[in-house]
């Protein structure tokens, strides 16, 4: 019989979905600014990108604050216990219909692979995008102080690298949400807050 | 706004506020803004304090331009001295930044090439009377032509008459069967006034031998332009004259094409401010942060469009976005001029012309082949205001396109901006032995001029002799290029270029290097790796998903079986 645990609090769910929408908007507009296609027109894309970027920065600041005041940041401390088992599950066990080896509880709601992936997102991809994005925005203000090797091109390359990493993360992330005991189980959990386990 | 105060008062007294407002609105729409001051019954007041038509000095039966000048100078005692100190008079200029001796007297271009030996023709656009050869007296005040700039109509200096108007009815151009009437000097003298688009334009619109030929952003369509063509000069816009921007003091006119102001990163000049800045720059009035900033004004990193556009002023000349195309007024400009076919005659040995479908001449036995352009998208180059010229004494490399002028400036330099230019190409004569560009004798009727004899050998011998240039007698034609900064025909703001005109892979700034331009530039390797990785990730998850579905089906079948 199904067991329900309350995994995602109201703020987390709000944070997750608004972040998802913003990141999607940033990807779409960002790669238009990058010149990969034209959809909204460069000017429109750049202006939406800038606005969404500031909203995302605001959201991140809230989220960081929330993680530290609630102690939830501990959820992302890497743990290698059972890491091998989780990897074996995704590369093998899942095809045999075996249950997920990791048992989710509210205090440890991410499996070791998730912990690593989200930590990487938070410590590598996000800061890279954030720092390079802000440098991009304020280029006019610092260009005259910059050393010769650092110009808009370098900033743009760093930012685009971050964007590609985000894109790859997103693809994997979206796919992995379908690997619950039913394809929509994880997604429902992020909507209602309740995860149904076996 | 309210024309008649008593009517407005009565209207208020009756508390008919609505009707009153309506009246005011009607009044407002009935008037043009220029006359909407509060003055009751206005009598016509002249702008000038002097009505030249009333001066006895000007009520004389003038026979020549010089006589008119003497009359002007009898009151304006210093005027001629002032004019004589300017390039309009000397046609001579030493570029302070390069030391090159320039000015029309000395320089070459790739249009009619040079004025030497052709003075009587070309120097119709000199502000003087009588410059037909070396013997012109530059020190005689009566040789100054006041009327060239200060007439209010019906005054024209005829090419061929060395700066004089037609004193008698004459056939012009010679042999054309068309006639110009004699100028009515007494009348023109009584009607003198300030300079206008028409007076400046009489020469500056026709440079290079015809309407719009040379600049591309200056042609006769600017005499009465609408604001769509030129927001400042438009009769329904600012209705500026040339001198509104090219602010003139003591006949010294601000602005120069030989030593232009390529960047002016300062706020607007205040009225009365003592400054060395060029009053004809855009920034002189608009400042260098002309777009409306957002409330954040840079705090949020150019969040608003205005802030974002203002940061562009560090890289772009205003003209780059605000002049989307030149030759927009219906007058084509020459984009290419091949002198090498000049002298070609028809089967009967007669000179001829060819015209395009619009009736514009594209070949003339006198001048060779032309290519014309209208609504031309400019080229864009980095430019810091320094220009140098290939002079008639300079050696050229005929294997390459000879640059008649070179615009200097590199990306990132504080003074350099990306500027719109007209890139004019052509072919013109050069000396095969001395490797110099050659001055031909073209325009004044005699037995050596190209346009009357169609013989290059004689034309070049005469032209080079007059220009004091060595000539080996052996000549060829070399490809040349000349740049013209585009700065007039500023369009209304709503017609300024949109972002994607430049921020795209194939945009207008495609050929401009030295800047990272978002939307145009990308790191090829990073893009390949990034999109490659994303593609692999997508394939990976699709494969994984397919395998999941497949294995689950199999398990079900096995379970059922
Ligand atoms: C998920 C988040 C984001 C993604 C996927 C993303 C993606 C991109 C991409 C691909 C570009 C084009 C780069 C180029 O070709 O030069 C771009 C441009 C830019 N991004 Fe982001 N970005 C994100 C977040 C941010 C943030 C947080 C900021 C600032 C705080 C930011 C500021 C900018 C700026 C200023 C540009 C240049 C656009 C312009 O010219 O107006 N981005 N972004």
């Amino acid at each position: 019989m199904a067991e329900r645990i309350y995994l995602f609090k109201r703020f987390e769910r709000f944070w997750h979905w608004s972040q998802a929408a913003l990141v999607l908007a940033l990807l779409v507009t960002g790669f238009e600014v990058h010149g990969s296609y034209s959809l909204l027109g460069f000017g429109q894309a750049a202006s939406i990108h800038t606005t969404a970027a500031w909203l995302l920065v605001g959201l991140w600041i809230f989220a960081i604050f929330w993680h530290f005041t609630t102690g939830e940041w501990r959820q992302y401390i890497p743990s290698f216990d059972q890491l091998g088992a989780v990897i074996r599950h995704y590369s093998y066990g899942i095809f045999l219909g075996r249950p997920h080896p990791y048992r989710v509880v509210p205090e440890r709601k991410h499996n070791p692979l998730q912990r690593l992936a989200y930590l990487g997102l938070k410590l590598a991809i996000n800061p890279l995008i954030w720092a390079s994005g802000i440098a991009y925005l304020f280029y006019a203000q610092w260009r005259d102080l910059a050393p010769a090797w650092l110009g808009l091109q370098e900033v743009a390359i760093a930012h685009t690298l971050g964007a590609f990493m985000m894109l790859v993360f997103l693809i994997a992330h979206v796919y992995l949400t379908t690997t619950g005991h039913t394809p929509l189980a994880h997604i429902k959990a992020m909507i209602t807050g309740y995860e149904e386990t076996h | 706004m309210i024309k008649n105060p008593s009517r407005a008062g009565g209207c208020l007294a009756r508390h008919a506020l609505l009707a009153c407002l309506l009246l005011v609105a009607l009044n407002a729409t009935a008037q043009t803004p220029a006359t909407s001051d509060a003055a009751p019954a206005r009598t016509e007041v002249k702008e000038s304090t002097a009505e030249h038509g009333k001066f006895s000095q000007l009520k004389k039966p003038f026979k020549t331009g010089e006589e008119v000048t003497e009359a002007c100078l009898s009151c304006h005692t210093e005027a001629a001295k002032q004019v004589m100190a300017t390039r309009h008079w000397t046609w001579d200029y030493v570029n302070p930044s390069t030391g090159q001796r320039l000015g029309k007297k000395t320089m070459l271009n790739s249009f009619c090439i040079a004025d030497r030996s052709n003075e009587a023709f070309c120097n119709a656009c000199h502000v003087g009377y009588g410059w037909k050869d070396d013997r012109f007296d530059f020190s005689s005040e009566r040789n100054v032509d006041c009327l060239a700039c200060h007439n209010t109509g019906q005054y024209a200096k005829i090419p061929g008459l060395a700066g004089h108007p037609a004193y008698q009815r004459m056939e012009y151009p010679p042999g054309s069967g068309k006639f110009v009437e004699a100028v009515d000097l007494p009348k023109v003298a009584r009607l003198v006034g300030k300079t206008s688009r028409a007076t400046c334009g009489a020469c500056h619109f026709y440079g290079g031998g015809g309407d719009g030929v040379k600049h591309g952003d200056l042609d006769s369509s600017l005499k009465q332009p609408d604001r769509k063509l030129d927001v400042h000069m438009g009769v329904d816009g600012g209705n500026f004259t040339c001198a509104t921007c090219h602010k003139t003091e003591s006949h010294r006119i601000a602005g120069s094409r030989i030593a232009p102001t390529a960047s002016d990163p300062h706020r607007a000049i205040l009225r009365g401010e003592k400054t060395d800045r060029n009053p004809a720059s855009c920034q002189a009035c608009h400042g260098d942060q002309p777009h409306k900033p957002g409330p954040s004004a840079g705090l949020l990193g150019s969040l608003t469009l205005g802030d974002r556009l203002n940061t562009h002023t560090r890289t772009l000349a205003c003209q780059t976005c605000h002049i989307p195309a030149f030759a927009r007024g219906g007058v084509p400009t020459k984009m290419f001029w091949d002198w090498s076919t000049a002298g070609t005659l028809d089967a009967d040995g007669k000179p001829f012309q060819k015209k395009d479908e619009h009736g514009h001449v594209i070949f003339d036995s006198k001048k060779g082949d032309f290519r014309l352009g209208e609504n031309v998208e400019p080229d864009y180059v980095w430019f810091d205001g320094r220009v140098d010229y290939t002079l008639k004494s300079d050696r050229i490399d005929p294997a390459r396109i000879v640059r008649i002028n070179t615009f200097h400036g590199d990306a990132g330099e504080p003074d350099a901006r990306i500027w719109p230019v007209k890139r004019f190409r052509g072919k013109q004569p050069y000396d095969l032995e001395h490797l110099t560009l050659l001055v031909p004798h073209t325009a004044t009727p005699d037995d050596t001029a190209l346009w009357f004899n169609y013989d290059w050998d004689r034309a070049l011998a005469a032209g080079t002799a007059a220009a004091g240039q060595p000539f080996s007698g052996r000549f060829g034609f070399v490809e040349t290029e000349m740049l013209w900064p585009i700065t007039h025909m500023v369009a209304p703001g709503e017609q300024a270029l949109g972002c994607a005109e430049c921020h795209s892979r194939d945009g207008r700034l495609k050929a401009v290097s030295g800047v990272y331009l978002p939307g145009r530039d990308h790191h090829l390797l990073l893009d390949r790796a990034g999109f490659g990785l994303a593609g692999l990730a997508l394939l990976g998850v699709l494969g994984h998903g397919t395998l999941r579905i497949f294995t689950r089906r199999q398990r079900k079948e096995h379970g059922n079986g």
Side-chain angles (χ1 to χ4, degrees), chain A residues 26-27 30 33-34 46 49 53 129 133 136-137 156 159-160 163, chain B residues 308 516:
Chain A
L26 285 161
L27 276 170
V33 167
H34 188 61
H49 194 83
I129 290 192
Y136 212 142
L137 274 176
H159 196 68
T160 312
Chain B
R308 174 53 54 94
Y516 178 83

Side-chain angles (χ1 to χ4, degrees), chain A residues 22-24 26-27 29-35 42 46-47 49-50 52-54 56-57 60 129-130 132-134 136-138 156-157 159-160 162-164 166-167, chain B residues 308 503 516 518-519 521-522:
Chain A
L22 288 172
V23 167
L24 220 61
L26 285 161
L27 276 170
T29 53
F31 279 104
E32 173 156 19
V33 167
H34 188 61
F42 181 93
S47 116
H49 194 83
T50 315
W54 279 117
L56 189 64
V57 168
W60 279 345
I129 290 192
W130 187 339
S132 59
I134 288 192
Y136 212 142
L137 274 176
F138 289 99
I157 286 177
H159 196 68
T160 312
F164 277 125
M166 181 66 91
L167 180 62
Chain B
R308 174 53 54 94
H503 289 279
Y516 178 83
D521 297 327
H522 56 142

Side-chain angles (χ1 to χ4, degrees), chain B residues 512-535:
Chain B
V512 174
S513 59
V515 273
Y516 178 83
L517 183 56
R520 180 193 71 172
D521 297 327
H522 56 142
H523 196 280
L524 205 64
L525 224 59
L526 177 61
D527 261 29
R528 291 216 179 120
F531 285 121
L533 206 64

Side-chain angles (χ1 to χ4, degrees), chain A residues 31-36 42-43 46 50-51 54 90-91 94-97 136-138 140-141 143-144 152-153 156-157 160-161 164 167-168 171-172 175 178-179 181 183, chain B residues 298-303 308 311 314-315 412 499-500 503 505 516 518-523 526-527 530-531 533-535 537-538 541-542 544-548 551-552 555:
Chain A
F31 279 104
E32 173 156 19
V33 167
H34 188 61
S36 302
F42 181 93
T50 315
T51 312
W54 279 117
Y90 285 118
S91 51
I94 193 167
F95 302 119
L96 303 178
Y136 212 142
L137 274 176
F138 289 99
Q141 280 81 0
R143 57 181 290 174
D144 290 323
L152 190 59
Q153 171 154 27
I157 286 177
T160 312
L161 178 70
F164 277 125
L167 180 62
V168 172
I171 292 169
Y175 173 70
T178 67
T179 59
H181 75 280
Chain B
L299 252 183
L300 293 181
S302 319
L303 181 61
R308 174 53 54 94
T311 67
R314 175 69 165 69
T315 315
C499 312
H503 289 279
R505 292 275 188 265
Y516 178 83
R520 180 193 71 172
D521 297 327
H522 56 142
H523 196 280
L526 177 61
D527 261 29
F531 285 121
L533 206 64
L538 206 60
V541 301
L542 286 176
H544 197 276
T546 317
L547 207 60
R548 265 167 67 209
T551 53
R552 171 185 299 186
R555 280 199 309 278

